[in-house]
């Protein structure tokens, strides 16, 4: 009898022990699965260095790298300065001043985010090249047959990227200004500092973390840019990776070159994270700043300057797309196929990534006391700052290694590359952060007492999750929307990893604009722009919601 009781106690103890081990190991397994696509890409980039390509590198050093590095550096510098000045000026104007039309400009200045940069690039070329309306009108007026200018080169690319990316800085700096109280500036003025010295010595240092956070996002987008710089004839590191792969037919050399892009992305990510770490959480109880009312010429200049910015960055490209699209609104069979593939890819990636993002957000709450687990979870979202060409090159080499390993183990015929699964892995590595962040924010707003009450009533983990999901519905919808739109607009990773002949709207636009067919590219581009307006609407709704503390609402006259 005693032996039977002891055996039962032993089996029960083993079950408890296995259960405890599973509870400890399951978060690690889930975190490693989330990080697998990026780890595959990183391993592919590392393995590429085992295959020397001296002849290709000799060509790259002589003819490609000097120009690509110079153009990339010039673009990063020019876009950084342009976005910092333009975004900060617009944020300061709308957060600390009041004038007729301010509420319209507050959200309208975000609209350029809805335009893919490659769409703005081909609209600009269509308007400004030799056969475009601007130069045609100039030749008709002057009788000259010479070209007035050529809309190619890095200065044009920098100007275009500034117009498309300044909202990142505007968004973060305006948010910081809305949360800042007026006490530090009042203290500075009471000590005798003038208006400009108060701005430079007090306000700007307080804004620096938000400015660096927005600037980091703009520079990461610049580094990852592929479509716009290709159309404008600018050789950068991103285009060099693509041309080395598909022009020189050397995947190892392309992956080795992509490692350089990865290094630059890591530096920018580190700067952005340090800036975010220094961001201060301002106390909502601080007295909010009052807006300074602008009148007369000052108000007119503010309105005119922002109207011109919106005209160049959003209205003019949209009107030109409509003008090109209206004569022929019907879609061809090829375009409808591309539209169907785009919608299918966006929906499939959104569902998969929101599921993965929910797991990531739930695990992040557990990782507060487990730094190693937190490190793996942070690694899984690093791909958001890595250019699509870099991810594609690394992931393809990683998957090829897996295929060779499976073949050596006897599993011949298993094909991982050139499939929709490979493309989805790249999209997970690139956009997991876009789904995890809204869900983590939604979880942070839930009262801890709700799951604790469910636990006290005996609900298991799965049951508690099912009870929590309805309360997360706004965050889930936001994550679905953000991921679907980002995936539909994604160009380089889709271009390099899609199954053969499987085109999306972004690929169709790239193929048509590469041949100068602006009118034919307008219809699919217009579809992408209209889809891109949805996350902007959500962003504006979030900005205007009640969660923004300390929003200055009062106004004061001079």
């Amino acid at each position: 009898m005693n032996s039977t009781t002891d055996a039962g106690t032993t089996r029960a103890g083993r079950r408890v022990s296995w259960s405890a081990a599973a509870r400890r190991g399951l978060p690690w397994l889930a975190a490693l699965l989330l990080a697998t696509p990026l780890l595959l890409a990183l391993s592919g980039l590392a393995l590429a260095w085992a295959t020397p390509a001296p002849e290709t590198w000799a060509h790259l050093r002589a003819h490609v790298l000097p120009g690509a590095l110079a153009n990339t550096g010039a673009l990063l510098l020019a876009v950084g300065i342009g976005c910092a000045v333009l975004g900060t000026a617009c944020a300061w104007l709308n957060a600390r001043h009041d004038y007729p039309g301010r509420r319209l400009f507050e959200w309208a200045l975000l609209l350029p985010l809805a335009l893919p940069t490659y769409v703005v690039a081909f609209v600009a070329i269509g308007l400004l090249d030799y056969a475009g309306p601007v130069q045609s009108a100039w030749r008709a007026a002057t009788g000259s047959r010479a070209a007035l200018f050529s809309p190619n080169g890095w200065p044009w690319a920098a100007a275009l990227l500034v117009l498309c990316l300044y909202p990142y800085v505007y968004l973060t700096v305006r948010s910081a200004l809305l949360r800042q109280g007026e006490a530090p500036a009042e203290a500075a003025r009471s000590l005798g500092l003038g208006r400009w010295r108060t701005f430079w010595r007090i306000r700007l240092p307080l804004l620096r973390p938000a400015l660096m956070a927005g600037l980091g996002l703009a520079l990461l987008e610049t580094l990852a840019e592929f479509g716009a710089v290709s159309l404008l004839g600018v050789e950068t590191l991103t285009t060099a990776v693509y041309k080395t792969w598909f022009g020189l037919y050397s995947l190892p050399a392309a992956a080795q070159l992509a490692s350089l892009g990865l290094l630059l992305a890591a530096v920018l990510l580190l700067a952005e994270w340090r800036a975010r770490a220094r961001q201060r959480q301002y106390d909502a109880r601080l007295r909010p700043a009052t807006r300074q009312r602008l009148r007369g010429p000052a108000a007119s200049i503010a309105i005119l300057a922002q109207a011109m910015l919106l005209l160049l960055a959003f209205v003019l490209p949209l009107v030109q797309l409509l003008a090109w699209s209206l004569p022929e609104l019907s879609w061809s069979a090829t375009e409808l196929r591309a539209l169907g593939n785009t919608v299918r890819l966006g929906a499939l990636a959104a569902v998969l990534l929101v599921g993965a993002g929910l797991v990531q957000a739930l695990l992040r709450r557990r990782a507060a006391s487990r730094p190693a687990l937190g490190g793996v979870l942070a690694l899984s979202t690093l791909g958001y700052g890595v250019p699509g060409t870099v991810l594609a090159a690394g992931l393809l080499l990683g998957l090829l290694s897996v295929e060779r390993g499976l073949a050596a183990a006897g599993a011949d015929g298993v094909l991982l590359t050139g499939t929709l699964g490979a493309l989805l892995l790249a999209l997970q590595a690139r956009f997991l952060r876009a789904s995890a962040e809204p869900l983590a924010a939604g979880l942070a707003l839930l009262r801890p007492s709700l799951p604790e009450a469910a636990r006290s009533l005996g609900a298991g983990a799965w049951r508690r999750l099912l009870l929590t999901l309805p309360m997360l519905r706004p965050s889930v919808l936001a994550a679905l929307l953000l991921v679907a739109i980002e995936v539909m607009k994604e160009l380089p990773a889709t271009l390099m990893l899609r199954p053969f002949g499987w085109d999306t709207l972004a690929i169709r636009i790239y193929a048509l604009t590469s041949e100068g067919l602006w009118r034919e590219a307008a219809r699919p581009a217009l579809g992408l722009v209209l889809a891109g307006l949805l996350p902007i609407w959500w962003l504006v709704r979030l900005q205007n919601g009640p969660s923004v503390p300390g929003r200055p609402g009062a106004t004061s006259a001079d």
Side-chain angles (χ1 to χ4, degrees):
M1 182 70 180
N2 287 339
S3 61
T4 305
T5 305
D6 291 343
T9 305
T10 303
R11 283 195 295 273
R14 285 176 181 168
R15 281 199 296 272
V16 171
S17 174
W18 276 107
S19 175
R23 279 200 301 272
R24 284 195 300 270
L26 204 55
W28 276 101
L29 179 63
L32 287 172
L33 283 175
L34 291 174
T36 294
L38 187 62
L39 290 173
L40 261 178
L42 294 178
S43 65
L45 293 179
L47 288 172
W49 291 96
T51 308
E55 293 180 359
T56 307
W57 268 101
H59 174 82
L60 292 175
R61 278 194 296 270
H63 304 290
V64 178
L65 270 182
L69 287 174
N71 287 336
T72 303
L75 273 179
L76 289 173
L77 182 65
V79 173
I81 294 173
C83 286
V85 172
L86 205 55
T88 305
C90 291
W92 178 254
L93 195 57
N94 286 290
R96 291 304 170 93
H97 298 83
D98 192 38
Y99 54 90
R102 174 183 61 80
R103 292 186 182 279
L104 171 67
F105 283 115
E106 274 183 346
W107 63 264
L109 287 171
L110 296 174
L111 288 175
L113 284 177
L115 293 171
T117 51
Y118 50 85
V119 171
V120 181
F122 88 72
V123 170
I125 295 172
L127 287 174
L128 300 175
D129 68 357
Y130 185 80
V134 174
Q135 296 208 44
S136 296
W138 181 80
R139 288 197 302 275
T142 61
S144 171
R145 298 179 64 83
L148 185 60
F149 53 78
S150 173
N152 289 310
W154 75 263
W156 287 93
L160 185 145
L161 289 175
V162 168
L163 288 177
C164 293
L165 302 178
Y166 81 86
Y168 287 115
V169 176
Y170 167 73
L171 199 60
T172 54
V173 173
R174 177 175 172 269
S175 179
L177 281 168
L178 291 175
R179 286 170 168 80
Q180 274 187 14
E182 190 64 12
E186 286 179 352
R189 284 196 292 269
S190 69
L191 294 174
L193 289 184
R195 188 173 177 182
W196 283 106
R197 290 180 70 190
T198 301
F199 179 82
W200 286 108
R201 298 181 61 176
I202 303 298
R203 294 191 189 278
L204 196 57
L206 289 173
L207 288 177
R208 194 176 298 150
L211 175 61
M212 290 302 295
L215 203 53
L217 291 173
L219 293 179
L220 283 170
E221 292 286 344
T222 303
L223 185 63
E225 181 54 48
F226 174 75
V229 292
S230 297
L231 290 171
L232 293 169
V234 183
E235 187 85 72
T236 64
L237 274 178
T238 309
T239 60
V241 171
Y242 180 80
K243 289 180 179 176
T244 304
W245 186 348
F246 292 97
L248 301 177
Y249 303 105
S250 176
L251 181 55
Q256 291 160 10
L257 193 57
S259 302
L260 192 56
L262 183 66
L263 185 64
L264 279 175
V267 171
L268 291 175
L269 275 172
L270 184 63
E272 194 251 346
W273 282 345
R274 286 176 61 87
R276 283 182 184 272
R278 290 176 183 171
Q279 275 187 308
R280 299 183 181 186
Q281 301 297 320
Y282 298 100
D283 191 345
R285 292 169 299 178
L286 286 175
R287 184 171 61 83
T290 56
R291 296 183 189 275
Q292 181 182 2
R293 188 179 295 281
L294 299 179
R295 293 192 177 91
S300 300
I301 291 172
I303 295 169
L304 189 61
Q306 292 181 99
M308 284 297 295
L309 177 60
L310 271 179
L311 180 70
L312 292 174
F314 184 76
V315 177
L316 203 55
L318 188 63
V319 169
Q320 186 58 59
L321 286 178
L322 285 169
W324 279 334
S325 302
L326 285 178
E328 183 56 64
L329 285 175
S330 60
W331 287 48
S332 67
T334 306
E335 289 171 343
L336 287 175
R337 245 191 332 271
L339 176 64
N341 290 339
T342 304
V343 172
R344 275 194 291 273
L345 182 64
L348 188 58
V351 171
L352 290 176
L353 284 183
V354 167
L358 184 59
V359 174
Q360 213 266 5
L362 288 169
L363 289 177
R364 208 187 295 181
R365 293 162 70 104
R366 291 190 175 193
S369 59
R370 302 162 77 175
L373 181 62
V376 178
L377 291 173
L379 176 68
S380 67
T381 59
L382 274 182
Y384 191 72
V386 180
T389 51
V390 175
L391 275 178
L395 191 60
L396 188 65
L397 278 174
L399 290 175
L400 284 173
S401 301
V402 174
E403 283 182 2
R404 291 191 197 104
L406 290 173
D412 287 325
V414 177
L415 192 62
L416 300 175
T417 54
T419 63
L420 196 57
L423 178 56
L424 287 171
L425 283 177
L427 294 174
Q428 181 190 325
R430 183 95 168 84
F431 296 120
L432 179 60
R433 186 173 177 179
S435 68
E437 290 298 328
L439 293 167
L443 283 171
L445 293 176
L446 292 181
R447 284 184 297 173
S449 58
L450 294 175
E452 286 172 5
R455 188 200 297 268
S456 68
L457 294 173
W462 179 247
R463 181 74 176 163
R464 292 200 300 275
L465 177 62
L466 292 179
L467 289 172
T468 304
L469 278 179
M471 290 178 278
L472 284 177
R473 190 168 51 187
S475 300
V476 171
L477 289 175
L480 282 170
L481 198 60
L482 284 173
V483 173
I485 301 302
E486 289 285 354
V487 167
M488 286 195 287
K489 291 194 300 184
E490 164 64 28
L491 176 60
T494 311
L495 183 66
M496 297 164 82
L497 291 176
R498 74 193 194 283
F500 181 74
W502 203 82
D503 287 351
T504 62
L505 285 181
I507 304 295
R508 186 76 186 145
I509 294 168
Y510 178 74
L512 291 170
T513 52
S514 298
E515 299 175 7
L517 301 174
W518 318 126
R519 291 180 182 277
E520 289 76 2
R523 285 190 302 275
L526 194 59
L528 277 186
V529 171
L530 294 178
L533 288 174
L534 290 174
I536 302 300
W537 164 80
W538 173 77
L539 197 59
V540 171
R541 190 166 173 264
L542 191 68
Q543 284 282 300
N544 293 331
S547 59
V548 180
R551 178 182 292 112
T555 60
S556 68
D558 286 336

